[in-house]
Amino acid sequence: MAQKSCLLFGAVHILVKMGTPSDMELVERFAKGGSEEAFRELVGRHIGLVYSVARRHTGNPHHAEEISQAVFVILARRAKSLGKGVVLSGWLYHTARLTAANFQRAEIRRIRREKEAYMQSITSEEVSNEVWRELLPLLDRAMASLSAADRDCVVLRFFENKSFREVAETLGLEEGAAQRRASRCLERLRAFFHKQGLVVSASAIAGAVSANSVKATPANLGALVAARSLSPGNLGPSVQALVRQMWTRLFWPASGLVGTGALLVSTITCGALFWHSAHRQPQGGFPSSIVYRVRNAPTPPRSVNPIVHIRMTGTPGMPFQVSHSENGNEQITPGVLPSEVSFAADAFSARITVRGSGELSFEVFRDDFRLANISGARVTNGRTWQLSAGKGGSGFSVRRVAN
């Protein structure tokens, strides 16, 4: 009798699973057949995630609705080109975060520190949980420091509260591997918060994010967003402008570059990157150096006392040193990943050297303006990058120096 019950339960589970299409199946139905029902189902599943990201950034429910609308318009237009390997939750989270950040620059005209101060000023009214109140101003910056794969894992497990089994199925992993990845992600978030002066445990981060990161949306917002996304003529001018701005940023991006060692170079805030390889070839046929330059990059905002920040993540514990010139003297800062090195500079030249083997990602900021982002660099027996920028942060370039 018990065996029959188990078999019956298994059959019901399979039928239920077969009857519930995955996100990418719904995307495919919409992309190929224009199924409005499929698109409305996608909006219904993910509107809470998108709206909550936007609300967290702006603190304004009306602005959050406009941002949510823009994100799903972009999804409707981009559906045909989404690859089968895309995790839609992670894609929507990333798009919503970038759209919200762009909205703030265009509409609120506040730099990142002012935004964080504003977010902190409203947390006491909106959030009762002490840990969440401390995490809130830094959460999206911490998420931005993760790789895309780690970010997808965090969104699925802690934002959407999916089981490890569901996370593993979505990411194509074994359940144990999904658990280990989630643990590593929490540790990286904990290390990020620690660098910002916030000492909190990984378990506290997991509990606070799971309980508070996705909030209830206004009534009928999902249906309204779905309808307007499929009929762009009904969009307000501010949403149309936001869609145009984000379309340019997201889908006319820097060209991805894969060099020796599977180095992936990308940038969103700075326009296109192109590479130039030195003609001189050492023994073995590999170029002695590869230069990545920012082309058609916006000029960073003027600053009276500019500060350069180099934020490095990757294989925890991998040693590095950053050297730069300051007042005519070379300064050397050693450390281990993950870490951040900051120094006052307008025009600058700096060198990042990592030792050992593993993975390295780093972002270069002038104040809060991101000059470039290099992610997923695979290091074998050490590697060095030379960074340089002219006065005002112009003419920024990254050169990978041969070992």
Side-chain angles (χ1 to χ4, degrees):
M1 186 67 180
Q3 186 176 7
K4 289 183 179 180
S5 299
C6 290
L7 292 173
L8 180 60
F9 177 79
V12 171
H13 176 76
I14 292 172
L15 289 173
V16 170
K17 186 173 181 180
M18 291 176 61
T20 304
S22 68
D23 286 344
M24 297 314 296
E25 287 174 340
L26 292 173
V27 169
E28 187 175 3
R29 287 184 196 175
F30 173 70
K32 291 184 177 180
S35 172
E36 295 186 7
E37 181 181 356
F39 188 82
R40 289 191 176 93
E41 174 66 19
L42 288 170
V43 174
R45 288 184 185 183
H46 300 290
I47 186 65
L49 172 66
V50 172
Y51 176 84
S52 296
V53 173
R55 177 70 182 269
R56 188 160 57 246
H57 270 265
T58 63
N60 184 305
H62 176 69
H63 292 168
E65 290 182 22
E66 291 193 339
I67 292 166
S68 301
Q69 181 69 76
V71 169
F72 282 101
V73 170
I74 292 171
L75 174 61
R77 295 182 181 180
R78 194 67 180 172
K80 291 183 179 180
S81 60
L82 291 180
K84 292 184 178 180
V86 170
V87 176
L88 189 62
S89 298
W91 188 92
L92 286 170
Y93 171 86
H94 189 55
T95 303
R97 183 180 64 80
L98 292 176
T99 304
N102 191 73
F103 182 92
Q104 285 187 292
R105 281 190 295 272
E107 301 295 329
I108 305 177
R109 307 292 186 186
R110 299 212 182 176
I111 64 174
R112 182 176 297 172
R113 291 195 190 96
E114 293 173 332
K115 181 205 72 177
E116 291 179 359
Y118 173 70
M119 294 293 286
Q120 287 176 324
S121 71
I122 65 171
T123 52
S124 59
E125 299 178 2
E126 296 186 343
V127 184
S128 59
N129 183 283
E130 181 65 25
V131 174
W132 175 248
R133 187 161 57 244
E134 293 177 329
L135 297 181
L136 180 57
L138 300 170
L139 177 60
D140 288 305
R141 280 182 55 195
M143 289 290 291
S145 71
L146 300 177
S147 67
D150 286 349
R151 187 169 55 244
D152 289 342
C153 181
V154 172
V155 170
L156 290 168
R157 173 59 180 163
F158 302 110
F159 282 70
E160 296 193 327
N161 290 310
K162 293 186 180 296
S163 67
F164 283 120
R165 181 177 180 180
E166 292 172 315
V167 173
E169 289 176 351
T170 303
L171 298 181
L173 303 172
E174 294 182 356
E175 188 170 343
Q179 292 179 348
R180 290 190 294 272
R181 176 172 291 182
S183 296
R184 289 196 300 269
C185 292
L186 286 175
E187 180 58 29
R188 288 167 184 167
L189 291 175
R190 186 203 62 76
F192 178 92
F193 293 130
H194 183 75
K195 287 193 301 180
Q196 306 302 316
L198 177 57
V199 179
V200 59
S201 68
S203 59
I205 294 171
V209 173
S210 296
N212 297 286
S213 60
V214 176
K215 300 295 185 182
T217 57
N220 300 323
L221 177 60
L224 186 62
V225 165
R228 289 180 177 174
S229 297
L230 297 171
S231 302
N234 295 328
L235 299 176
S238 61
V239 175
Q240 290 179 356
L242 187 58
V243 169
R244 285 195 299 270
Q245 293 163 4
M246 290 309 303
W247 190 265
T248 300
R249 287 191 61 196
L250 289 171
F251 306 119
W252 295 347
S255 55
L257 306 175
V258 180
T260 305
L263 174 65
L264 175 62
V265 181
S266 64
T267 184
I268 294 176
T269 58
C270 302
L273 286 175
F274 69 96
W275 66 269
H276 166 71
S277 175
H279 293 293
R280 180 171 58 85
Q281 301 282 334
Q283 278 189 324
F286 291 102
S288 60
S289 65
I290 297 179
V291 179
Y292 305 91
R293 300 186 192 280
V294 179
R295 181 174 61 189
N296 299 327
T299 301
R302 291 185 179 182
S303 177
V304 177
N305 297 302
I307 303 294
V308 175
H309 305 277
I310 304 175
R311 298 171 183 165
M312 293 169 285
T313 58
T315 303
M318 190 160 64
F320 73 87
Q321 72 174 31
V322 173
S323 60
H324 67 279
S325 295
E326 189 171 301
N327 298 324
N329 298 316
E330 185 179 37
Q331 303 291 323
I332 298 178
T333 304
V336 295
L337 298 182
S339 188
E340 178 174 331
V341 175
S342 301
F343 53 90
D346 192 6
F348 67 90
S349 177
R351 177 170 289 207
I352 302 173
T353 300
V354 292
R355 299 183 179 87
S357 300
E359 184 175 292
L360 172 70
S361 299
F362 63 86
E363 294 178 289
V364 184
F365 290 81
R366 183 178 181 271
D367 294 332
D368 284 328
F369 188 92
R370 186 165 72 172
L371 296 173
N373 170 33
I374 292 184
S375 62
R378 295 185 180 178
V379 178
T380 303
N381 297 325
R383 182 157 292 170
T384 300
W385 286 266
Q386 180 73 41
L387 318 177
S388 61
K391 187 176 181 179
S394 61
F396 182 84
S397 68
V398 179
R399 180 166 61 91
R400 197 196 74 209
V401 181
N403 293 334

